[in-house]
Amino acid sequence: MDSKEIYWGKELEALLPLEKQQAIGLKGKSVSIGLAKEDGENEMRVALTPALVSVLVASGFSVNVEKEAGKEAHFSDESYAKVGAKICETAKEVFSSDILFKVSAPTLNELSLLKDKACLFSTLDICKQPKEYYRILSEKKITALSYELVKDKTGGYPLLKAISEIVGQRLPFIATQCLSNEKYGKRIMLGSVAGIIPTKVVIVGAGTVASYAVRYLIHLGCDIKIFDDSIRCLRRLEDFTGRSLATSMLYSNRFKECIKEADVIIFAKYSKEATSAWIITEEMVQQMSEGSVIIDVSIDQGGGVETSEATTLKKPIFVKHGVIHHCVPNIASSIPKTSSEVISNFLHPFFEFPSLFADIKTLLLAHTGLRSGTYVYQGILTNSVIGQRHGISSQDIHLLLNSQLG
């Protein structure tokens, strides 16, 4: 291990320039944090709860909260003001903070409001962002981190896993609503009743989302079939549920037949490359019975069903070839308070040593996981997937940091 990566906590404070150590001491008083409001149409979560803001204020940060930022998640302006945050009437004041927290990635107009050399924490949605997005970040010398790309010490993605648990538990309720839709649904119950054939559910993918969905669907008595291209993932799912399941490799002869017979299809296959291939073709969708349901959880990566198109929380479904499609990229936002608390719990450990936030280089040296989540560092693209997607050269974040230390 490189000796430059073994520093943690207060040991790293010594790496700060002397003037910054004197300015902030151990409290980080010179650093302002902004909490931006989401649009409410497509995103209802908030990145920082009042409980976490109270911790930040106590640590010496000044926290600027945009008016009604927490409204959709049932956190009032008063609850933020009580713990010492400043409630701002305009987004401009919030976006001029040293560190900005959002849930959804800022729009191009919002990016223009960012302070030069600021630090941005948000989700990213690689498939949606245009090349212009990264050009603005570069011109402003922004350091940008994506929550879903941050890793833990085991190499896993802690926030992605936590959000996936929420999504998995939500899917049976979404399937129920779609099946019972008065205009388009089959008007059948999700589950089983004595003397009636159980609802047939096909799940593509055997990750966290599938695991938590299956746990609920089992208790409802559904006829569940799970497909994946990894035997290891299928076995892990069985270990998680503690029982034998009807599992099969993704490209088995039974796959197309099961798709045709399904009442509900849940596509929940995650791609580390942030891209999904069409595994379920339009021809396969056409063979499904009218009123059947497709829930494409991977729509944020482009979707795994050829007929999928991204929908919103306000208009979550559309019908194509008689099949109901639910393709909301951020399903967890439909329960915004719980999801907001999950995000804040994820962020809390990174503020254990607040003075590190006075210098982004020092912060990233302290947290290997945050380095993995950094896709732009001081205006330099550090994510090769984004670089390949848009034809932009990228540099390795570890090499950049080490070269600056040297």
Side-chain angles (χ1 to χ4, degrees):
M1 179 181 291
D2 192 322
S3 61
K4 294 173 183 175
E5 295 192 31
I6 63 174
Y7 294 101
W8 286 89
K10 293 186 178 181
E11 294 177 8
L12 270 162
E13 290 168 356
L15 296 177
L16 291 173
L18 180 60
E19 63 272 18
K20 286 193 176 182
Q21 293 184 48
Q22 293 171 340
I24 65 173
L26 298 178
K27 289 291 185 178
K29 292 179 181 177
S30 66
V31 179
S32 60
I33 289 177
L35 177 60
K37 181 181 178 181
E38 308 296 331
D39 64 13
E41 177 73 20
N42 298 308
E43 183 57 71
M44 297 191 291
R45 295 170 291 184
V46 65
L48 306 175
T49 63
L52 181 52
V53 168
S54 69
V55 173
L56 302 181
V57 172
S59 297
F61 294 102
S62 59
V63 181
N64 303 313
V65 177
E66 189 173 353
K67 185 178 180 181
E68 296 187 343
K71 181 180 178 181
E72 297 293 342
H74 287 255
F75 297 117
S76 66
D77 288 344
E78 182 181 13
S79 65
Y80 285 105
K82 278 184 177 179
V83 297
K86 177 184 177 182
I87 307 302
C88 303
E89 293 290 334
T90 65
K92 185 176 181 180
E93 187 173 359
V94 174
F95 276 77
S96 64
S97 303
D98 299 311
I99 305 172
L100 181 76
F101 285 91
K102 278 187 98 270
V103 177
S104 60
T107 64
L108 296 182
N109 287 335
E110 288 174 332
L111 284 182
S112 67
L113 299 176
L114 279 173
K115 176 180 179 180
D116 287 356
K117 298 183 179 180
C119 184
L120 168 66
F121 285 78
S122 72
T123 57
L124 178 57
D125 197 351
I126 289 177
C127 295
K128 184 185 292 186
Q129 302 309 329
K131 189 174 183 178
E132 177 73 2
Y133 184 90
Y134 305 104
R135 185 192 65 78
I136 296 173
L137 292 176
S138 177
E139 287 184 350
K140 286 180 165 287
K141 306 295 183 185
I142 302 297
T143 296
L145 298 93
S146 173
Y147 302 137
E148 67 268 34
L149 298 179
V150 173
K151 294 182 180 180
D152 58 23
K153 292 181 180 180
T154 68
Y157 299 89
L159 184 61
L160 188 61
K161 184 178 187 300
I163 294 298
S164 294
E165 292 177 10
I166 293 175
V167 172
Q169 294 180 64
R170 284 288 294 165
L171 292 179
F173 297 95
I174 293 171
T176 296
Q177 291 173 339
C178 291
L179 285 173
S180 61
N181 185 284
E182 293 184 4
K183 188 173 182 180
Y184 305 112
K186 285 188 172 183
R187 309 301 297 277
I188 62 174
M189 186 180 78
L190 181 71
S192 66
V193 177
I196 299 175
I197 296 174
T199 312
K200 295 181 178 180
V201 179
V202 170
I203 300 178
V204 180
T208 303
V209 170
S211 297
Y212 281 83
V214 167
R215 191 169 68 175
Y216 271 68
L217 294 169
I218 286 173
H219 292 295
L220 291 174
C222 296
D223 176 2
I224 312 164
K225 293 180 175 63
I226 305 123
F227 293 85
D228 200 278
D229 52 10
S230 168
I231 289 290
R232 181 180 61 84
C233 290
L234 291 171
R235 285 174 176 161
R236 187 174 58 192
L237 193 153
E238 286 194 331
D239 290 340
F240 178 81
T241 58
R243 64 178 68 194
S244 296
L245 300 169
T247 63
S248 179
M249 293 301 288
L250 189 54
Y251 298 105
S252 68
N253 294 331
R254 278 282 292 155
F255 181 62
K256 288 185 178 180
E257 185 179 342
C258 289
I259 294 296
K260 180 180 179 180
E261 297 172 348
D263 297 306
V264 176
I265 295 173
I266 296 172
F267 192 97
K269 188 165 175 54
Y270 177 73
S271 168
K272 290 184 178 180
E273 289 73 35
T275 56
S276 289
W278 289 335
I279 292 174
I280 300 176
T281 65
E282 183 165 4
E283 181 182 359
M284 295 163 71
V285 174
Q286 289 175 324
Q287 294 176 2
M288 296 175 65
S289 60
E290 187 173 346
S292 298
V293 176
I294 293 175
I295 306 174
D296 196 339
V297 181
S298 66
I299 191 65
D300 60 335
Q301 296 186 311
V305 182
E306 188 173 3
T307 50
S308 290
E309 298 174 10
T311 57
T312 67
L313 292 170
K314 300 296 183 181
K315 296 181 179 179
I317 67 168
F318 67 90
V319 178
K320 191 163 188 177
H321 302 309
V323 177
I324 298 174
H325 292 62
H326 185 286
C327 306
V328 176
N330 53 336
I331 289 174
S333 187
S334 62
I335 39 174
K337 185 166 187 178
T338 298
S339 298
S340 298
E341 290 171 339
V342 166
I343 294 172
S344 274
N345 288 344
F346 158 75
L347 290 170
H348 181 267
F350 298 118
F351 290 96
E352 183 179 2
F353 298 97
S355 59
L356 299 180
F357 278 82
D359 184 82
I360 187 60
K361 176 180 69 178
T362 311
L363 175 65
L364 295 178
L365 283 168
H367 294 288
T368 305
L370 284 182
R371 292 203 294 275
S372 66
T374 305
Y375 60 95
V376 176
Y377 173 68
Q378 296 182 353
I380 301 171
L381 184 69
T382 57
N383 186 292
S384 60
V385 173
I386 296 172
Q388 292 168 9
R389 193 178 191 90
H390 294 287
I392 309 172
S393 62
S394 62
Q395 298 187 40
D396 185 272
I397 181 68
H398 304 85
L399 295 178
L400 277 175
L401 291 169
N402 285 335
S403 64
Q404 288 184 1
L405 277 180

